[in-house]
Amino acid sequence: MLNNLTECEEGDGGPNSQGDATSKESSPFINSSTSDVEKSQQYDGKNMALFEEEMDTSPMVSSLLSSLANYSNLTQGSKEHEEAENNEEARKKTVQAPRMGTIMGVYLPCLQNILGVILFLRMTWLVGAGGVLGTFTIVFMCCSTTMLTAISMSAIATNGVVPAGGSYYMISRSLGPEFGGAVGICFYLGTTFAGAMYILGCIEILLIYIVPAAAIFKMEGLEGAEAEAALLNNMRVFGTIVLSFMALVVFVGVKYVNKLALVFLACVILSILAVYAGVIKTSFDPPDFPVCVLGNRTLVSKGFDICAKTIERGNATVTTKLWRAFCDSEFLNATCDEYFTNNNISQIQGIPGITSGILAENLFSTFMEKNSMLEKRGIPAVLDPEAPETNTNRYVLADITSFFTLLVGIYFPSVTGIMAGSNRSGDLQDAQKSIPIGTIMAITTTSIIYMSSVILFGACVDGVVLRDKFGEGVNGNLVIGTLAWPSPWVIVFGSFFSTCGAGLQSLTGAPRLLQAIARDGIIPFLRAFGHGKANGEPTWALLLTACICEIGILIASLDAVAPILSMFFLMCYMFVNLACALQTLLRTPNWRPRFKFYHWALSLLGMSLCLTLMFLCSWYYAIVAMVIASCIYKYIEFCGAEKEWGDGIRGISLSAARYALMRLEEGPPHTKNWRPQILVLMSLDVEQNVEQPRLLSLTSQLKAGKGLTIVGACVEGTYLNNQPQAQKGDQSLRKLMEVEKVKGFSQVVISSNLRDATSHLIQAGGLGGLHHNTVLVSFPRNWKQAEEHHRCRNFIEVVRETTASHLALLVPKNISAYPSNGERFTEGHIDVWWIVHDGGMLMLLPFLLRHHKVWRKCKMRIFTVAQMDDNSIQMKKDLMTFLYHLRFDAEVEVVEMHESDISAYTYEKTLVMEQRSQILKEMHLTKNEREREIQSITDVSRGSIRRKNPSNLHPQRSIAEESVGGSGEEKSEEESVRLSRPRQVQLIQGKNATPTPTSPTSPTAPTPAAMSPGEEVQMTWTDDTEKTNNPAVANPESIKDMFNMKPEWENLNHSNVRRMHHAQKLNEVIVKKSQEAKLVLLNMPGPPKNRTGEENYMEFLEVLTEGLNRVLLVRGGGREVITIYS
């Protein structure tokens, strides 16, 4: 049975079949390279015979589960790189993923990244400047933001495996490549500037608290701006040296960073424990850190040894160094500073202890201006407001102007680092469990530490010491160090090593983040940074990171760098919250996080907090960060990020599209909202290439309305056999749409015949309320030739179907003569011939065309036709008023068409037309017989033409010329035949028809008796009522009076004669007025009501447009498309 089955399949789609040329990927069925015998043996005994043909793409469940069980996701982290670098056999062996639990894998790394330089160098100053209440508010806001972000991040991280890239990977796969790339770059810049901030903190500890003598630019004796400049220059020089050293360490091998990570973490934990131990100790044994105060001003402790003006030595009063600092000599009668003379010196305890009640004094904020002096509350001071300030370098001064939003920007970097756990997801034993628990535990721990620190610092340390940023009033000690037990050096060295470690971690992580972005390929100019050493180390990314980090070093101020990286981290966290909220609200089927304690409202709240903090920190930095992200977003969008990651933005687009489509279903659009939604019917050649590309050029020029565009094409055949051709045709359409800059959709329909395929496109194009209201199809070329007869019939069916569907129809004739998008008309006219009212399509189309650069300089002219009983002057006034209310700028002209006699040329034209129509319908002859029949009919037609005036033969002579030329001399028979020679008649023989003898000399219509009952219909598409309404048709004798009727003319259908006459006369007027126009828009006559007049219809259109270069025939859709109302 199996053999029989495979034999049958070989017969249908095997190697000898037509579809074998299709590649395996493009074929709708899977043709395995394995032979049938091998397949049957391979799956024998596995009960898989029914599915063995699909095993290439649909493996057995057991194979799938086995591959998943053996899957190990190794991060692109430093550990594997170092193992590959040091172990020559590492590439040959399978590297086992390290298995870490929640504590070692998530909790401690997050703890190390969150606790850092701000806690040790700025926390006490923040409490002093902002007060306990203000600082606690800042800490609570920032910690709440990170907690909400951690909840959102946990939901995203537990919704699947998060490889290297951490937050960048989560955001990009949730919000798409544009948002992912923009936020990824922001996160990278934030991490890089964080490295600069840590290095600056390291240098600050080194130069101010450990070895001040190492400063290259000496600050002794300098005041104000000079001292500040010297400090910043020292920071720049030493920062560059340290950055270079750290970059070298990371380049040589990050194994040193990994090995020292636990040491750095131990330093942080020991420092924090020393602070808490010191706080406890202050409750029963406060440390002795006296602060010298002159009046209520805090003095720099380095300028004196004794906090007094004079001391008693023996029986004499001796002045101190402090006296000599404020007076011009050491004698008691010296001239001293006025403020020094009027105020006493007192000594206060810098750390009174937790039981001292100093908390009440530190509750509220004390913001200071730059270079203002630190003053102790509650101590009276005598100050002369008019006296100039002197010896300001003896006082502790504020180095910057402090305010609430500045404190927010400086503090926020201390709560970053919550992504450390998600970045290590590949190293975890159970990432789905460890990431949420570890991250939330770390944030909870650090939040408790920060909040308790705010309260404990305010309760233990005096306000003047808290506001003393660099500890100048306490002998140059680190302020938080004065609180530590057993020694301040524990905090100094602990914070120094922790900042060094944090800087190394930033220089290690940032290049890998950039490498992950570059390897995704969404930002073209970053692709070079995706390369590195042989083991994958991101060498070029490290170089760029060091250069950007150097920018932060050159800023040189920790307080200025902190708000910059706050912006980037806040933007990153904001989009993490947005990603979680979107995924939750959209309810995508793939959104199944294991972490269940999330809600879209929490994510939106976190996003709002991030946005609020961004503008609180620094509104101009926030705007700069958003501009950078927006530029990257638009750049990725412009370059075309060809990535499909199943992101939430695509989900938003789908939801928004569904909502909009449902809204559109409520009813048809208002006239003011009408715009051409175009279905372009293209034709493809045998190679599935577009035959008439200028049709899309015209479509692009018409799209000033910004509506829907569907470019459709048809393929003849069956879906199973012709799907590859349809795909190739679709690619050709898309490529041409991209070249012509047509934004829309392409659709290729396969059907057994082109007529049905075109009908399917017209019926099924669009979706819901968003469907086409206009069809654009080219006028069939060479429609009189026999091999093109099917195109002619298809075209007429399109006209009928669009009319029945109430769709507008645009038919450009001579489409190859239309301009391309690269051409420009510097002058010329677009002429509109408004014969009948079509809802305003004729007037709207030139307006849309003139929005395009091709037609922009063309002027619009509107012609309308007046009859004998019309007042042409009043018609012109009314039309000008109408155009004024429509806001169209156009010239107006009313053309009068007088009634005239029907010329002999019109009769002959109609005769040839009806002969062709009858022959095509009735005759079924062989090819040779058809050719002889055509020749005989042509000879009869030529011999029957006898005219007295040859001017009547020319289709473009005026009525006056015809009447005057009636008495002219008779031309020779040869000239008459030449002038009146009809177009060559082409016949189409039915496929299954049998030849019937028909007299070649009798081309007129058969009698009713000779016709079948179904054929007893009028041969034209004119209602019978028109014969009675029109006396010229109802009474042919009146025409006989005007012409010497030929015998064959008497049998003509007079409705056709009248229509041919109207087409000819209208063509004469149009050619006379608009022959030089760049484009002529003309009302398109309606299609025939029955099948017998199709060739007549095409002949009328041909006569109507003869002699014109570019013609756009327009049929309205049966509704108004323009309005005078606002």
Side-chain angles (χ1 to χ4, degrees):
M1 177 180 176
L2 180 60
N3 293 334
N4 293 336
L5 176 63
T6 55
E7 287 174 5
C8 293
E9 289 176 349
E10 278 190 348
D12 294 337
N16 298 327
S17 67
Q18 183 180 0
D20 188 66
T22 307
S23 63
K24 179 178 177 181
E25 289 77 6
S26 61
S27 175
F29 301 107
I30 303 300
N31 297 317
S32 176
S33 60
T34 309
S35 66
D36 297 330
V37 178
E38 291 176 354
K39 275 188 178 179
S40 61
Q41 293 175 355
Q42 182 179 358
Y43 298 106
D44 189 22
K46 295 185 178 180
N47 300 319
M48 300 299 293
L50 286 176
F51 301 96
E52 63 183 22
E53 291 294 330
E54 304 175 29
M55 287 299 165
D56 291 338
T57 56
S58 303
M60 290 186 293
V61 175
S62 58
S63 302
L64 176 66
L65 295 178
S66 176
S67 62
L68 289 177
N70 295 326
Y71 174 77
S72 62
N73 178 34
L74 300 180
T75 59
Q76 301 172 2
S78 55
K79 189 171 295 185
E80 286 73 21
H81 292 316
E82 286 303 327
E83 288 178 357
E85 188 179 78
N86 296 329
N87 190 356
E88 295 178 355
E89 299 180 359
R91 298 181 184 178
K92 300 179 181 179
K93 297 180 180 180
T94 302
V95 180
Q96 295 294 329
R99 299 298 180 183
M100 291 187 291
T102 302
I103 300 298
M104 294 299 297
V106 181
Y107 179 72
L108 292 180
C110 285
L111 212 63
Q112 180 185 4
N113 279 269
I114 295 174
L115 298 173
V117 61
I118 300 297
L119 174 65
F120 300 121
L121 294 183
R122 293 292 182 268
M123 198 64 185
T124 53
W125 176 77
L126 291 171
V127 175
V132 173
L133 294 179
T135 309
F136 190 88
T137 303
I138 294 173
V139 172
F140 181 78
M141 287 175 58
C142 295
C143 291
S144 299
T145 303
T146 54
M147 179 61 76
L148 293 172
T149 304
I151 293 173
S152 300
M153 183 198 70
S154 299
I156 298 174
T158 57
N159 192 49
V161 179
V162 179
S167 61
Y168 159 70
Y169 184 91
M170 290 187 292
I171 295 171
S172 61
R173 269 57 179 180
S174 297
L175 294 179
E178 293 89 357
F179 277 109
V183 180
I185 292 296
C186 287
F187 189 53
Y188 163 74
L189 292 175
T191 307
T192 305
F193 276 102
M197 184 188 72
Y198 291 133
I199 293 174
L200 290 175
C202 171
I203 301 304
E204 184 176 313
I205 295 171
L206 180 70
L207 292 182
I208 295 179
Y209 305 114
I210 299 179
V211 280
I216 297 177
F217 299 91
K218 302 300 180 182
M219 293 179 288
E220 287 80 2
L222 299 179
E223 296 184 13
E226 294 180 353
E228 182 180 358
L231 175 62
L232 295 181
N233 288 331
N234 283 319
M235 301 285 280
R236 294 184 180 106
V237 173
F238 281 92
T240 303
I241 295 172
V242 173
L243 173 62
S244 304
F245 176 74
M246 287 185 175
L248 183 63
V249 170
V250 174
F251 177 77
V252 171
V254 293
K255 62 182 180 181
Y256 305 110
V257 180
N258 292 330
K259 290 179 180 179
L260 292 173
L262 287 177
V263 176
F264 297 144
L265 178 60
C267 292
V268 174
I269 295 175
L270 287 176
S271 300
I272 294 174
L273 292 177
V275 172
Y276 279 103
V279 170
I280 296 173
K281 183 176 178 293
T282 61
S283 62
F284 57 88
D285 184 17
D288 184 23
F289 274 99
V291 178
C292 193
V293 178
L294 175 60
N296 60 357
R297 298 176 179 177
T298 308
L299 296 173
V300 176
S301 58
K302 290 184 178 180
F304 57 90
D305 52 354
I306 300 174
C307 184
K309 295 182 181 179
T310 59
I311 57 173
E312 296 292 333
R313 184 173 295 172
N315 294 326
T317 300
V318 182
T319 58
T320 61
K321 287 185 179 181
L322 190 59
W323 176 282
R324 292 191 287 273
F326 285 92
C327 301
D328 56 2
S329 69
E330 60 182 12
F331 301 106
L332 293 176
N333 59 354
T335 302
C336 298
D337 181 84
E338 184 177 355
Y339 185 86
F340 180 78
T341 305
N342 296 336
N343 291 276
N344 296 323
I345 289 181
S346 58
Q347 194 171 23
I348 61 172
Q349 188 61 34
I351 304 178
I354 196 170
T355 58
S356 63
I358 197 69
L359 178 64
E361 184 180 324
N362 294 330
L363 275 179
F364 303 102
S365 61
T366 307
F367 298 122
M368 304 176 63
E369 296 290 332
K370 185 177 180 180
N371 293 326
S372 61
M373 303 173 190
L374 266 67
E375 296 179 349
K376 168 66 177 173
R377 293 177 181 174
I379 299 180
V382 179
L383 176 64
D384 184 3
E386 297 180 358
E389 295 290 344
T390 56
N391 295 303
T392 54
N393 61 328
R394 307 298 180 186
Y395 305 107
V396 179
L397 305 177
D399 64 324
I400 59 173
T401 300
S402 56
F403 43 91
F404 183 80
T405 56
L406 174 72
L407 305 187
V408 176
I410 293 175
Y411 172 75
F412 187 80
S414 64
V415 296
T416 58
I418 62 174
M419 303 289 184
S422 62
N423 292 343
R424 299 167 179 253
S425 60
D427 301 336
L428 302 175
Q429 188 173 359
D430 186 0
Q432 311 290 325
K433 176 183 177 183
S434 297
I435 289 179
I437 296 176
T439 305
I440 293 175
M441 281 177 54
I443 293 177
T444 303
T445 304
T446 53
S447 299
I448 292 173
I449 292 174
Y450 283 130
M451 292 180 185
S452 62
S453 297
V454 171
I455 297 173
L456 294 177
F457 291 164
C460 296
V461 186
D462 193 277
V464 291
V465 179
L466 289 174
R467 291 186 291 276
D468 188 358
K469 183 184 292 185
F470 303 110
E472 295 175 289
V474 286
N475 299 320
N477 285 305
L478 184 61
V479 174
I480 194 174
T482 61
L483 192 61
W485 180 86
S487 170
W489 291 106
V490 175
I491 296 291
V492 172
F493 283 105
S495 59
F496 176 76
F497 286 116
S498 69
T499 51
C500 289
L504 283 172
Q505 292 285 355
S506 297
L507 290 179
T508 303
R512 283 169 176 76
L513 176 60
L514 181 63
Q515 187 182 45
I517 299 173
R519 286 182 173 176
D520 264 345
I522 58 176
I523 304 178
F525 70 84
L526 290 181
R527 286 174 183 166
F529 298 102
H531 307 292
K533 293 194 291 187
N535 62 352
E537 280 290 305
T539 307
W540 293 107
L542 175 63
L543 180 62
L544 179 63
T545 302
C547 294
I548 297 176
C549 194
E550 178 64 20
I551 297 175
I553 298 297
L554 294 177
I555 295 176
S557 172
L558 181 69
D559 301 322
V561 173
I564 297 177
L565 63 101
S566 295
M567 292 302 112
F568 294 122
F569 278 119
L570 279 167
M571 184 168 290
C572 178
Y573 295 165
M574 180 176 69
F575 280 100
V576 169
N577 285 293
L578 176 62
C580 181
L582 283 182
Q583 298 280 25
T584 307
L585 290 172
L586 293 175
R587 298 177 182 175
T588 52
N590 192 53
W591 180 245
R592 303 183 302 274
R594 289 188 177 275
F595 181 76
K596 303 298 182 183
F597 304 99
Y598 68 92
H599 193 270
W600 61 266
L602 294 178
S603 299
L604 290 180
L605 178 60
M607 187 181 70
S608 303
L609 276 174
C610 289
L611 191 62
T612 302
L613 288 175
M614 283 180 67
F615 283 91
L616 275 181
C617 293
S618 174
W619 64 268
Y620 45 89
Y621 278 161
I623 293 175
V624 170
M626 288 182 173
V627 168
I628 292 174
S630 301
C631 291
I632 298 171
Y633 178 95
K634 298 304 292 184
Y635 175 76
I636 297 174
E637 187 180 50
F638 175 77
C639 293
E642 298 177 357
K643 300 287 183 181
E644 176 53 57
W645 290 330
D647 51 87
I649 296 300
R650 178 62 59 87
I652 288 180
S653 301
L654 291 174
S655 297
R658 181 183 63 85
Y659 175 78
L661 286 173
M662 297 300 292
R663 290 290 302 273
L664 287 176
E665 284 287 343
E666 295 178 1
H670 192 273
T671 302
K672 291 185 290 186
N673 294 327
W674 194 94
R675 59 189 66 194
Q677 321 277 16
I678 302 178
L679 169 63
V680 188
L681 298 179
M682 307 290 291
S683 56
L684 304 174
D685 58 17
V686 292
E687 298 295 330
Q688 308 307 321
N689 295 320
V690 179
E691 288 187 341
Q692 297 171 332
R694 289 294 173 88
L695 207 56
L696 278 186
S697 300
L698 178 61
T699 305
S700 175
Q701 295 158 21
L702 277 170
K703 290 315 291 177
K706 304 294 184 183
L708 172 72
T709 301
I710 302 175
V711 182
C714 305
V715 173
E716 191 171 3
T718 63
Y719 184 78
L720 295 182
N721 295 333
N722 298 92
Q723 187 190 17
Q725 290 89 328
Q727 291 178 346
K728 184 178 179 182
D730 188 68
Q731 291 176 357
S732 300
L733 291 179
R734 290 177 181 271
K735 185 176 181 181
L736 185 60
M737 290 170 67
E738 185 177 350
V739 171
E740 298 293 343
K741 297 181 180 179
V742 175
K743 294 186 177 181
F745 308 98
S746 61
Q747 187 173 3
V748 179
V749 174
I750 305 174
S751 184
S752 57
N753 59 79
L754 296 179
R755 172 66 247 132
D756 290 344
T758 306
S759 179
H760 296 160
L761 276 174
I762 295 175
Q763 294 178 58
L767 180 63
L770 188 64
H771 57 80
H772 55 274
N773 55 27
T774 305
V775 176
L776 177 63
V777 60
S778 178
F779 194 86
R781 295 177 297 177
N782 306 322
W783 60 271
K784 296 182 181 180
Q785 298 179 5
E787 57 271 15
E788 297 292 328
H789 185 64
H790 68 285
R791 291 181 182 268
C792 172
R793 296 184 64 87
N794 287 348
F795 171 77
I796 297 175
E797 288 300 310
V798 168
V799 179
R800 283 198 180 100
E801 290 180 0
T802 53
T803 303
S805 304
H806 301 289
L807 300 175
L809 179 64
L810 308 180
V811 182
K813 191 180 178 186
N814 302 328
I815 186 62
S816 58
Y818 277 65
S820 66
N821 287 331
E823 298 180 37
R824 303 287 187 277
F825 288 134
T826 57
E827 59 181 0
H829 295 90
I830 299 176
D831 286 357
V832 176
W833 283 85
W834 192 18
I835 311 300
V836 295
H837 183 55
D838 57 353
M841 278 289 291
L842 279 172
M843 298 181 184
L844 183 62
L845 292 176
F847 171 77
L848 298 178
L849 283 174
R850 292 181 63 205
H851 277 73
H852 196 273
K853 52 191 175 183
V854 173
W855 307 91
R856 187 166 295 155
K857 294 186 178 180
C858 293
K859 296 181 180 180
M860 179 176 169
R861 295 190 300 189
I862 296 181
F863 297 90
T864 188
V865 177
Q867 304 302 325
M868 285 294 296
D869 54 348
D870 292 331
N871 186 342
S872 58
I873 298 177
Q874 187 62 38
M875 279 183 64
K876 183 174 183 179
K877 290 181 179 179
D878 295 341
L879 181 55
M880 293 179 66
T881 304
F882 183 54
L883 291 177
Y884 174 78
H885 288 300
L886 288 175
R887 289 91 64 200
F888 286 148
D889 185 16
E891 299 177 17
V892 175
E893 185 171 346
V894 177
V895 178
E896 296 181 355
M897 289 186 64
H898 302 286
E899 293 183 2
S900 62
D901 297 335
I902 301 176
S903 66
Y905 175 80
T906 302
Y907 278 105
E908 289 300 325
K909 193 84 172 176
T910 309
L911 173 64
V912 175
M913 177 186 72
E914 291 197 355
Q915 287 175 348
R916 179 189 299 112
S917 178
Q918 179 62 25
I919 293 170
L920 290 173
K921 179 180 179 183
E922 297 295 333
M923 294 184 64
H924 304 285
L925 306 176
T926 63
K927 183 177 179 181
N928 294 332
E929 289 173 329
R930 281 184 289 166
E931 291 177 354
R932 289 196 300 270
E933 185 68 21
I934 294 169
Q935 187 62 41
S936 64
I937 294 172
T938 306
D939 292 340
V940 171
S941 299
R942 289 173 178 172
S944 65
I945 301 175
R946 298 293 184 270
R947 293 176 177 79
K948 295 181 180 180
N949 185 4
S951 63
N952 291 336
L953 302 177
H954 201 283
Q956 296 184 4
R957 299 283 180 93
S958 64
I959 302 298
E961 288 173 340
E962 289 181 2
S963 59
V964 171
S967 59
E969 296 182 357
E970 185 176 352
K971 296 289 183 180
S972 64
E973 182 177 345
E974 291 78 14
E975 185 175 356
S976 300
V977 170
R978 179 178 59 83
L979 291 172
S980 62
R981 180 174 297 170
R983 300 174 186 269
Q984 183 180 0
V985 181
Q986 299 288 342
L987 301 179
I988 298 177
Q989 181 178 0
K991 293 182 180 179
N992 301 322
T994 57
T996 57
T998 306
S999 173
T1001 59
S1002 305
T1004 56
T1007 61
M1011 300 178 66
S1012 63
E1015 293 177 337
E1016 290 186 10
V1017 293
Q1018 186 182 354
M1019 288 188 57
T1020 66
W1021 36 284
T1022 305
D1023 293 336
D1024 294 336
T1025 55
E1026 293 186 3
K1027 293 184 177 182
T1028 59
N1029 295 336
N1030 193 323
V1033 178
N1035 187 13
E1037 297 298 328
S1038 61
I1039 305 178
K1040 268 190 169 184
D1041 296 338
M1042 290 181 270
F1043 288 93
N1044 184 13
M1045 302 291 292
K1046 302 299 180 184
E1048 56 268 26
W1049 295 357
E1050 296 179 6
N1051 296 324
L1052 293 178
N1053 184 291
H1054 295 284
S1055 176
N1056 285 345
V1057 173
R1058 183 169 52 83
R1059 291 175 184 273
M1060 182 65 75
H1061 174 64
H1062 180 255
Q1064 177 200 348
K1065 302 309 294 178
L1066 189 58
N1067 175 260
E1068 288 181 6
V1069 177
I1070 295 175
V1071 170
K1072 181 178 179 182
K1073 296 287 185 180
S1074 302
Q1075 193 167 18
E1076 302 299 324
K1078 302 300 181 183
L1079 179 64
V1080 177
L1081 284 84
L1082 181 63
N1083 283 116
M1084 185 177 183
K1089 290 187 171 66
N1090 52 58
R1091 308 287 180 183
T1092 57
E1094 290 179 348
E1095 288 77 13
N1096 301 350
Y1097 178 66
M1098 296 300 295
E1099 189 69 46
F1100 293 145
L1101 294 181
E1102 192 71 44
V1103 171
L1104 183 63
T1105 58
E1106 194 172 12
L1108 298 173
N1109 186 24
R1110 300 185 193 93
V1111 183
L1112 183 60
L1113 298 171
V1114 181
R1115 279 188 62 78
R1119 61 159 297 165
E1120 295 292 332
V1121 299
I1122 55 175
T1123 178
I1124 64 175
Y1125 299 104
S1126 60

